[in-house]
């Protein structure tokens, strides 16, 4: 009731019905508990959402990789790209859409493994520590340990895919001297050992 008086004095008149609804619904029955997902659902959902995101951002990642490599591996002469816009334009006109999406399959593997291990591993650890869905850990040290463990797992699992993604994104560019010449993701993964 005290909050309603405060709101009535300090809010415009058109907002009063919404404030009344918000304060009166708090005395109603509690909301039902969220439906708990299966153990593998967090892995699948997190990885799938990361793959959707990388589909849209991969051209920018290709440009970033090419800009990083042009100073290191150029075969002489000046830099091949003058900036991000020029790199997007040049890769798009010389290599086409496939050039802008180079390394997409490896990026899918990287993102799916990294994000699913981070979020799925964190969810698994929450359950292992007895933290119910919707609740959060109380101790800062517990949060730090769970985050570090799930992040370490994600880094270990996804690191080979990061290397493959970078090699695929660099391939096909005339300004990069060393070309790995991979024909497929399977052939490329055999060379990592």
């Amino acid at each position: 009731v005290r909050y309603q008086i405060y709101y009535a004095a300090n809010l415009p008149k058109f907002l009063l019905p919404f404030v009344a609804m918000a304060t009166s619904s708090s005395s109603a029955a509690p909301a039902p508990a969220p439906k708990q997902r299966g153990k593998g659902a967090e892995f699948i959902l997190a990885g799938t959402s990361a793959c959707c995101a990388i589909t849209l951002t991969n051209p920018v990642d290709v440009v970033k990789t090419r800009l990083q490599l042009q100073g290191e591996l150029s075969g002489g002469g000046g830099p091949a790209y003058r900036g991000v816009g020029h790199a997007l334009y040049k890769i798009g006109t010389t290599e086409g859409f496939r050039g802008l999406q180079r390394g997409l399959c490896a990026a899918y593997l990287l993102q799916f493994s990294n994000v699913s291990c981070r979020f799925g591993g964190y969810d698994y650890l929450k359950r292992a520590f007895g933290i119910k869905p919707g609740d959060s850990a109380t101790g800062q040290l517990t949060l730090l340990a769970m985050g570090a463990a799930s992040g370490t797992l994600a880094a270990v699992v996804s690191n080979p895919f990061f290397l493959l993604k970078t090699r695929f994104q660099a391939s096909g560019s005339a300004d990069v001297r060393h070309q790995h010449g991979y024909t497929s993701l399977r052939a490329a993964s055999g060379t990592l050992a």
Side-chain angles (χ1 to χ4, degrees):
V1 173
R2 285 190 317 218
Y3 296 116
Q4 287 178 332
I5 294 169
Y6 173 79
Y7 286 136
N10 295 311
L11 287 176
K13 298 283 185 221
F14 70 91
L15 290 178
L16 288 178
F18 299 108
V19 172
M21 285 188 323
T23 56
S24 66
S25 66
S26 63
S27 62
K35 185 178 177 184
Q36 190 172 0
R37 296 184 185 116
K39 291 183 180 182
E42 291 296 322
F43 286 94
I44 301 297
L45 291 173
T48 303
S49 64
C51 287
C52 292
I54 198 65
T55 301
L56 299 175
T57 59
N58 194 54
V60 177
D61 202 25
V62 169
V63 167
K64 176 199 66 123
T65 301
R66 297 280 181 91
L67 286 171
Q68 288 174 334
L69 292 177
Q70 76 175 347
E72 299 291 323
L73 304 172
S74 64
Y81 310 113
R82 294 187 301 265
V84 175
H86 182 249
L88 270 170
Y89 174 77
K90 189 171 179 182
I91 294 169
T93 55
T94 57
E95 300 175 43
F97 182 74
R98 289 189 64 181
L100 288 171
Q101 289 291 2
R102 200 172 287 280
L104 187 61
C105 290
Y108 283 155
L109 291 173
L110 166 69
Q111 291 299 322
F112 193 88
S113 63
N114 188 299
V115 174
S116 65
C117 284
R118 255 188 298 139
F119 286 109
Y122 187 78
D123 185 61
Y124 177 79
L125 289 172
K126 278 178 61 175
R127 290 179 189 181
F129 280 103
I131 301 169
K132 294 183 173 78
D135 293 343
S136 62
T138 54
Q140 295 294 325
L141 191 58
T142 305
L143 287 171
L144 181 65
M146 290 189 317
S150 63
T152 301
L153 173 68
V156 167
V157 169
S158 65
N159 192 39
F161 302 125
F162 183 78
L163 179 62
L164 287 176
K165 176 188 72 93
T166 304
R167 287 182 178 179
F168 273 108
Q169 288 176 343
S171 69
S173 176
D175 60 313
V176 176
R177 260 190 300 181
H178 181 73
Q179 298 288 326
H180 292 281
Y182 298 133
T183 57
S184 68
L185 193 58
R186 182 180 298 232
S189 61
T191 64
L192 292 179

